[in-house]
Amino acid sequence: MKKILMVIMAIMLSSSLFAGTKEEKQLASDMRAMLDSIVDMQKAAYYNDSRVLKSSTTRLISGLDSLLDVKASSYLDPEHKYAEKFAEKRVKMIKMYAEDLLLSLEAGEIDDVIADYHEISKQCYSCHLRIRTKDQ
């Protein structure tokens, strides 16, 4: 019985150590929500649904602030110190392209909307590629 209790306590302790801070959990949740927004943006563009495209772009913009609230250096390896400034720049670029997407949508410039969507996607991919790659 003692062994079982010890194993359960060890599992609980180890899982709490890997759980991360409250801010990191919130960041992960916000990242998932932003990914959902980007997926919704793509679907809306394919189906020419400007209402959903506008709402999903607005959701993406509203989630960007959480990327600036948690410093990347608090959860990344020390070798990724450059990541903080890089991530901040990507956030600014995503916001710029998302705001331009909304303006282009309002003006009926669908080619510009699609170009802005691709730029947003490239900014996300670029940041994840650099920050999550261990062998740089």
Side-chain angles (χ1 to χ4, degrees):
M1 183 66 170
K2 279 187 176 181
K3 287 182 182 182
I4 293 173
L5 188 56
M6 293 290 276
V7 169
I8 292 173
M9 288 178 60
I11 290 171
M12 289 175 61
L13 178 60
S14 65
S15 65
S16 67
L17 290 174
F18 293 112
T21 66
K22 182 179 179 184
E23 292 84 13
E24 291 170 20
K25 288 179 184 178
Q26 184 62 45
L27 177 63
S29 173
D30 290 346
M31 285 290 230
R32 285 188 295 276
M34 286 186 282
L35 175 61
D36 289 342
S37 296
I38 290 172
V39 169
D40 290 345
M41 289 166 66
Q42 184 179 27
K43 287 178 184 176
Y46 278 118
Y47 292 107
N48 198 21
D49 188 342
S50 58
R51 183 185 57 79
V52 173
L53 186 55
K54 183 177 180 179
S55 67
S56 55
T57 304
T58 304
R59 277 185 299 149
L60 174 66
I61 293 170
S62 69
L64 290 172
D65 288 338
S66 70
L67 297 176
L68 299 174
D69 291 343
V70 179
K71 296 297 181 190
S73 60
S74 71
Y75 60 87
L76 292 174
D77 296 333
E79 62 205 39
H80 285 96
K81 288 183 181 183
Y82 67 86
E84 220 158 309
K85 289 188 185 288
F86 184 80
E88 288 172 5
K89 177 71 173 177
R90 300 291 66 85
V91 169
K92 289 178 186 175
M93 297 301 290
I94 291 168
K95 186 172 186 176
M96 179 190 74
Y97 286 121
E99 289 172 345
D100 190 58
L101 186 149
L102 291 173
L103 292 173
S104 297
L105 183 63
E106 205 170 288
E109 301 288 335
I110 301 305
D111 289 340
D112 290 343
V113 168
I114 293 170
D116 287 327
Y117 171 79
H118 285 295
E119 289 299 328
I120 291 168
S121 195
K122 286 191 323 192
Q123 297 301 314
C124 296
Y125 178 73
S126 173
C127 193
H128 281 247
L129 180 67
R130 288 218 179 168
I131 288 178
R132 293 178 180 224
T133 301
K134 298 277 185 188
D135 57 352
Q136 289 196 0

